[in-house]
Amino acid sequence: MGNKQYVVFDFMGKLVIKKRHALRKSDANRLKERLYAEIGTEAEQYLARSIEVAETNSDTKIYLVDKKPFLLEMNKVIFPTLYGALEFPMAVRQIVVDMGAVSFVVNGADIMRPGVIAVASDVKQDHPVVIVDERHKKPLAIGTALYNADELMAQTSGKVVKTWHYVGDEIWNLAL
């Protein structure tokens, strides 16, 4: 299945903000370029005059867009947080799960193939994805795809997404 460089998301104890500061214009432009590389034109939704970075006691950085925790950086990858995905729904990098999987996903379970009903064609192995429910298309979790879109849909069983950010986790409950 290849190198799982984005799968690891481990906190040592409680996630705590160590430093918080505004990004310089040049750093904000680099952040935007990296976000464009990850989610394409959907990145337009996250452009703002005010972007701050909150450095944590782990390798995770939270980016505050107009003072809201809408982006995170983990293992040098920028992707929307659940707050960002809720505020600005994305059609890219999306995996749709059936309603039977929802209660498991919101508690941090990995995504198993039988619960998947649709996959965006741009889902790539080892890259972040947003998991949404089939009825309302509401974001439930963020994870790492273990397969490309076509390979994922060809699976008949087993784990297809490693979940690392979900409602009620350390990032969701982070006090800013």
Side-chain angles (χ1 to χ4, degrees):
M1 285 193 305
N3 179 11
K4 297 288 179 266
Q5 61 181 332
Y6 304 127
V7 173
V8 179
F9 194 63
D10 189 25
F11 302 113
M12 295 297 195
K14 185 164 176 59
L15 190 64
V16 177
I17 300 293
K18 290 170 56 177
K19 288 194 290 188
R20 181 173 161 179
H21 59 87
L23 285 183
R24 289 180 291 172
K25 192 171 187 172
S26 60
D27 291 334
N29 287 336
R30 277 193 289 281
L31 174 74
K32 291 171 190 174
E33 288 172 11
R34 292 172 59 206
L35 187 59
Y36 270 105
E38 199 61 47
I39 63 172
T41 57
E42 297 277 351
E44 291 285 334
Q45 302 174 101
Y46 297 95
L47 303 180
R49 283 186 264 146
S50 168
I51 299 177
E52 293 178 80
V53 61
E55 296 179 20
T56 68
N57 60 335
S58 73
D59 292 335
T60 304
K61 293 180 183 175
I62 307 293
Y63 291 93
L64 307 169
V65 179
D66 292 332
K67 304 207 183 286
K68 296 176 185 167
F70 285 166
L71 300 169
L72 63 83
E73 178 178 354
M74 181 187 70
N75 295 336
K76 300 184 181 182
V77 174
I78 304 291
F79 202 74
T81 63
L82 276 175
Y83 285 115
L86 283 163
E87 183 77 18
F88 305 114
M90 303 185 319
V92 299
R93 299 283 178 87
Q94 192 177 90
I95 294 181
V96 181
V97 295
D98 64 30
M99 296 310 288
V102 171
S103 64
F104 298 101
V105 175
V106 298
N107 285 310
D110 292 332
I111 309 306
M112 306 303 281
R113 176 56 183 100
V116 175
I117 62 169
V119 176
S121 62
D122 65 343
V123 167
K124 295 184 223 170
Q125 180 178 346
D126 297 331
H127 284 266
V129 293
V130 60
I131 296 97
V132 301
D133 73 85
E134 70 178 321
R135 186 173 300 144
H136 306 288
K137 303 293 189 269
K138 290 285 184 193
L140 305 171
I142 307 291
T144 300
L146 302 179
Y147 300 93
N148 290 325
D150 55 342
E151 296 166 332
L152 190 150
M153 290 305 287
Q155 299 299 310
T156 57
S157 64
K159 186 185 308 184
V160 293
V161 176
K162 173 70 177 152
T163 300
W164 43 261
H165 175 33
Y166 54 92
V167 175
D169 71 2
E170 290 285 330
I171 295 172
W172 182 266
N173 292 322
L174 193 61
L176 292 169

